[in-house]
Amino acid sequence: MTTPTVTERGRLTALRAAWLFDGTSSALVRDPLVLIDGGAIVAVDSGVPTPEDADVTDLGGATLLPGLVDTHVHLAFDASPDPVGHLASQNDDEARDAMIRAGQTALRGGVTTVRDLGDRDYLSLGLRGRPGMPAIVAAGPPITTPGGHCHYLGGVAEPTAKGVRAAVREHAERGADVIKIMASGGTLTPGTHQHVPQFTLGVLRAAVDEAHRHGLKVTAHAHAVGAIADAVAAGADGMEHVSFWTEDSVDAPPYLIRLIADRGTVVGATVGLVPVPGLKPPPEVIARVPLMIANLRRLYEAGARLVAGTDAGIAPIKPHDVLRYSPAMLHGELGLSPAEALRMVTSAAAETIGLGHRKGRIAPGFDADILAVDGDPVADLAALHRIRAVYAGGTTVPR
Ligand SMILES: [Zn+2]
């Protein structure tokens, strides 16, 4: 005779607070109760008593919102004045340790999911699923030209259809979640120019085609007007920066704004910076920022799919927890409503990176990634800086 065994179900965790932003609706839920079983949200209610089989954490006057999702970070860059030099001086073990510290910084700042759009030697792939880190969607080293933008990260491909197809295949075989391709030059790489495309349209098309054959989406780093036009024409799923950079200014042709909106190409707006006394973006950036913001606004009004990313790690004004600063910029400078701005760093961001079914919302079946802040972030986005608690996969993040 066998003795029946009773598997004891673990106790539920119940979070209570004053308000809840669920990641999608503009209206806050009053007196929420979020029930968590292990790593997942199992119920979201309002004004109901706490079930007896749950351990309660009452966060008082706080607002609960989904853990933030940054669509564009670089864990391998340490947000120092010389992130490229620092990375070059590190071996892989040292770089990996620094990436773990970067991830922990993000997590403490409420960023529970990141898309790493450029590491070195595929290091971010090995950090996926690691406890104490945000969830990571990883591109591996960005695909670039010989001597091209971020070539030192190891993603150099011969700039031909054959060359980029081979590079995409290698990324797919290594297990990358997304393909990042450098369609133009960038500020971090001397010798490259933001206003100059790096690949021809035909080569970009081949890269996108190869990625899609492997079930991978492509996002293109695209500053130059020609690079943006080519990325859209090549069928890239998304673009980063989209600054419409020209040699001496910024120029966004109306037809291209229209085309980006019509094609549904995701526009990764690079927003959010931490004010650091004495530190400012370079003058060529400062001069263009008002124009870039106006163009993002035009894209938004044209119906383009705008999403926020920070480029965390690339400079001291871009630490790994900088995403909390993005919604205020989206609201104050682009004119989005606070709720829209919050959606762009939660549900819309999660959807963009392929995790819309698990991340970015507080709803049954979603991962228990939750941020609790003092005050009401819809009324006052600065509340995002008053963090009371962060939960990642149902586990409290040490403060
Ligand atoms: Zn970047």
Side-chain angles (χ1 to χ4, degrees):
M1 193 182 144
T2 52
T3 317
T5 52
V6 177
T7 312
E8 212 174 307
R9 178 173 151 173
R11 285 179 65 79
L12 299 175
T13 302
L15 296 185
R16 304 211 75 115
W19 299 99
L20 176 143
F21 169 73
D22 68 3
T24 57
S25 24
S26 303
L28 296 186
V29 176
R30 179 194 281 275
D31 189 19
L33 171 76
V34 179
L35 280 181
I36 298 168
D37 187 2
I41 296 166
V42 290
V44 181
D45 270 307
S46 159
V48 297
T50 307
E52 276 178 13
D53 61 343
D55 297 320
V56 190
T57 300
D58 193 335
L59 292 151
T63 300
L64 306 179
L65 62 157
L68 306 182
V69 179
D70 196 335
T71 65
H72 187 151
V73 310
H74 299 277
L75 293 172
F77 290 145
D78 66 359
S80 70
D82 182 17
V84 175
H86 274 189
L87 180 59
S89 73
Q90 292 169 330
N91 64 31
D92 279 359
D93 286 336
E94 292 162 338
R96 194 179 295 107
D97 286 345
M99 292 169 78
I100 292 169
R101 288 195 295 277
Q104 290 165 341
T105 300
L107 209 48
R108 279 195 299 274
V111 183
T112 50
T113 303
V114 298
R115 181 170 67 169
D116 189 301
L117 286 185
D119 67 5
R120 189 184 74 194
D121 303 334
Y122 297 93
L123 287 173
S124 61
L125 277 64
L127 298 174
R128 293 176 297 194
R130 190 186 168 96
M133 291 283 282
I136 298 171
V137 171
I143 295 174
T144 192
T145 52
H149 183 40
C150 288
H151 61 88
Y152 40 79
L153 296 176
V156 171
E158 186 198 319
T160 61
K162 191 167 165 245
V164 293
R165 283 186 188 275
V168 170
R169 270 198 304 279
E170 187 194 324
H171 281 68
E173 280 156 15
R174 296 287 292 257
D177 300 306
V178 59
I179 297 296
K180 165 86 172 292
I181 188 161
M182 299 304 204
S184 74
T187 38
L188 279 185
T189 311
T192 75
H193 300 285
Q194 301 202 163
H195 65 281
V196 179
Q198 296 202 141
F199 293 99
T200 62
L201 172 57
V203 171
L204 275 184
R205 268 208 181 105
V208 172
D209 178 64
E210 191 68 27
H212 289 176
R213 274 175 13 93
H214 288 88
L216 296 175
K217 289 195 172 179
V218 177
T219 192
H221 162 102
H223 283 293
V225 181
I228 293 169
D230 285 353
V232 175
D237 304 278
M239 298 182 288
E240 305 302 314
H241 313 307
V242 199
S243 63
F244 299 97
W245 201 278
T246 62
E247 190 161 9
D248 46 19
S249 183
V250 160
D251 177 28
Y255 91 89
L256 194 46
I257 298 262
R258 190 66 260 153
L259 190 63
I260 292 167
D262 289 348
R263 294 289 291 263
T265 314
V266 173
V267 175
T270 312
V271 287
L273 45 87
V274 174
V276 176
L279 270 186
K280 281 190 279 189
E284 67 274 16
V285 174
I286 287 181
R288 288 172 172 86
V289 160
L291 298 164
M292 295 187 326
I293 287 171
N295 287 332
L296 287 173
R297 175 79 206 169
R298 286 168 65 201
L299 281 162
Y300 175 69
E301 284 170 353
R305 291 178 58 192
L306 218 59
V307 72
T310 63
D311 230 348
I314 64 155
I317 55 173
K318 299 273 188 186
H320 286 279
D321 56 352
V322 67
L323 185 60
R324 297 198 309 278
Y325 291 84
S326 303
M329 185 169 166
L330 292 167
H331 171 57
E333 297 181 38
L334 263 77
L336 273 62
S337 77
E340 276 176 299
L342 289 172
R343 278 195 285 273
M344 279 180 53
V345 295
T346 54
S347 56
E351 201 172 305
T352 296
I353 67 172
L355 292 176
H357 58 301
R358 284 180 50 193
K359 306 284 186 190
R361 291 176 58 194
I362 299 183
F366 279 70
D367 291 349
D369 297 341
I370 295 171
L371 174 59
V373 300
D374 271 325
D376 170 0
V378 175
D380 171 22
L381 287 166
L384 291 176
H385 303 302
R386 300 191 290 271
I387 297 178
R388 281 275 289 275
V390 180
Y391 298 85
T395 303
T396 312
V397 174
R399 307 272 320 140

